[in-house]
Amino acid sequence: MSSVSFTCYVVAVVLFCLGFFGCLVRRNALVVLMCLELMLNAVNLIFVEVAMRTGSPGGIIMVVFVITVAAAEAGVGLALALNLYRLKGTLDLESFRQLKG
Amino acid sequence: MVLAAAAVVFGKHPIYSAFSLVLCFFGLAVIYTLLNNLFLGMVQILIYTGAIVVLFVFAVMLVDSPKGSGFQSKRPFLSIASLIVIWTLALQMISVVGAAPWVAQTREDATNMRFVAKLLFTEYLWPFEVLSLFLLVMILSIYVLARPDQSKRSAP
């Protein structure tokens, strides 16, 4: 186990856990979307590391696809957030209670 | 870079989170370059910090963010529960990483971007086309979501 790949794994685990924690805890919808990006980047880092270590190019191609889908997801998420802001006047996730029984 | 990621999560204002996200993505680009993949480092800087974070900053400027800490203050047990969830998740991931076979093949295919690009347009052509169609649908849906309300405008 080389030290670079070990560092990559540690950084990816820490990034994923931080992003997940932010998704659960933060109230602002924009910050929750940013934490989603953090989690996607952690997975990307694992993909790149394994692809470079095993020499298989499928990981690199997967990362390119993931980046594209993440860009689309950020666009749709921000459009939804802006619409919610126009509807409710806030981005506080606690205030979106229409679906609560 | 990890500190920047922590600043994304714990930043007081969303604009601090957005700029910390820029720092974090630059760090990731440096790691990709260290892993001998300059192309993905460039893609990371161009797309993530050039497009996505600019989009985030734009959205942060459009809305006014609420005052206060920004955490789920009404339900404090949620923070504790999510900490427990994070802890078990981290343990699981560490155990998976520890159990992964550390094969070290030294094929140089993945570093050769010409080979990767050729593979993208031959073997992975079908997912590539599906992804382009997906992007088209995304653009149309964002337009439908973000356009001004037509019925409200036509009504006097």
Side-chain angles (χ1 to χ4, degrees), chain B residues 11 16 83 85 89 92 98-99 104 121 126-127 131 137 142:
Chain B
Y16 296 151
L83 270 182
V85 167
L89 193 68
Q92 269 186 345
F121 284 102
W126 178 238
L131 197 67
V137 172
I142 290 173

Side-chain angles (χ1 to χ4, degrees), chain B residues 19 22 25 31 39-40 44 48 72 88 125 132 143 151:
Chain B
F19 285 116
V22 171
F25 288 163
I31 287 183
F39 172 72
L40 274 185
Q44 176 85 13
Y48 268 110
Q72 308 255 12
T88 51
L125 183 63
S132 63
Y143 170 68
S151 59

Side-chain angles (χ1 to χ4, degrees), chain A residues 13-45:
Chain A
V13 168
V14 170
L15 274 190
F16 191 89
C17 289
L18 272 175
F20 196 68
F21 181 70
C23 276
L24 288 181
V25 163
R26 289 308 294 258
R27 282 193 305 178
N28 196 331
L30 291 174
V31 183
V32 170
L33 282 174
M34 289 182 206
C35 293
L36 276 180
E37 298 291 327
L38 272 186
M39 288 159 67
L40 284 170
N41 272 288
V43 177
N44 271 352
L45 184 57

